[in-house]
Amino acid sequence: AQWGLVLGAASLLRGADNWVAARPLLLTGRYGHQPAVRSIEVGEWLSEVVRPGGMAVDGPGFARTLRVRLIHAHVRRHVREHAEWDDSALGVPIPQPYMAFTLAEFGHISLAAMARLGVRLRPDELDDIYHLWRYVGHVIGVVPELNPRSEADHVRIEELYRLTSPGPDDYSRDFVRALTEDYLAPQLATLFPGPGGWKTTLSTRLMYGASRVFLGDPAADSLGIPDGPAKHLVRAARPGLTLLDQARLRLLGRERATARGYADRDRELARLKAENAMTHDLVDAVPGAVGHTG
């Protein structure tokens, strides 16, 4: 559950802090449009990547990752033919450094945010996670020189991304607002009792507060994320969340907790798809979308 939260409030928002990286999505009509559907598409791919055996050569995660590699190729061709794209000024769409940064979004960025929510992972578990994302990077086409091996490599890639980023633009800020208020906050609101208006206000403030904790105030300011006391509440909750997470593991054991996590994830993904009338998995299955092969 914590990972699902931080993938939106930390990983996707950290990536949005760079208007050049986001521009291909804008030019393909995927930026700020139906943020819930975009997030669910990522979740559909991710669910198979992290499933046991999913990234075996004959596994569903391997197959979907190859599809994403082909989608990237279609997007590059489409964007480079667009009148608004200039290679000399913007470089190649979806370049290698940005692909490497995506691995860090799913790796260190999300893990660091989970730690702020009280999640503790063992060193061998962290090693497994970083190894998985290196393998995903290999399959999706990240060159060996930029394909991270360790947490330190992920951190260096994040630093490279920040160093070369021109910052966000209005489209980036619109995306952050749409993702938070139209998707993340409503999902969080389902956990609270009481009238809808109260739940909406509380969940929106908490999501923005969490994003400020995950990103830091300077990045949050540049993305137009509202400030407020909710960030202090999120920070103060960490010790209690850690105790709850450790108690859950002691009660269930790691194997049962893991199995329950997979089952909960699959159920929530099915619910989200039904709520959004979504019948496809990845964008290449959407008629008219860039990369559609039907």
Side-chain angles (χ1 to χ4, degrees), residues 112-260:
M114 286 174 67
R116 290 181 176 273
L117 294 179
V119 176
R120 291 180 179 175
L121 295 171
R122 300 183 315 222
D124 62 306
E125 292 173 326
L126 292 170
D127 288 344
D128 288 345
I129 291 169
Y130 286 118
H131 179 74
L132 170 66
W133 288 112
R134 178 166 173 78
Y135 178 48
V136 172
H138 170 70
V139 175
I140 212 167
V142 178
V143 295
E145 295 83 357
L146 285 174
N147 197 4
R149 295 176 179 269
S150 63
E151 177 182 316
D153 287 345
H154 280 237
V155 171
R156 281 192 287 268
I157 287 168
E158 294 166 40
E159 292 172 346
L160 173 65
Y161 189 80
R162 286 194 293 269
L163 178 67
T164 59
S165 171
D169 60 6
D170 287 340
Y171 290 109
S172 304
R173 288 180 276 272
D174 288 344
F175 170 72
V176 169
R177 185 164 52 252
L179 180 69
T180 303
E181 298 180 9
D182 297 344
Y183 177 60
L184 295 175
Q187 295 307 314
L188 182 61
T190 62
L191 303 178
F192 300 132
W198 175 84
K199 292 193 296 183
T200 298
T201 300
L202 175 62
S203 60
T204 301
R205 289 177 178 173
L206 284 175
M207 285 307 310
Y208 278 134
S211 293
R212 279 200 162 263
V213 171
F214 300 150
L215 304 179
D217 284 328
D221 288 341
S222 69
L223 288 168
I225 295 174
D227 202 350
K231 65 182 181 183
H232 304 300
L233 179 62
V234 173
R235 290 193 181 103
R238 179 178 178 177
L241 293 173
T242 299
L243 289 175
L244 285 174
D245 192 57
Q246 293 301 306
R248 179 179 62 89
L249 289 177
R250 290 192 182 97
L251 180 65
L252 296 176
R254 264 181 145 74
E255 289 190 7
R256 284 182 61 198
T258 300
R260 180 174 292 185

Side-chain angles (χ1 to χ4, degrees), residues 8-20:
S11 299
L12 284 179
L13 299 196
R14 179 67 74 185
D17 194 23
N18 183 330
W19 71 263
V20 174

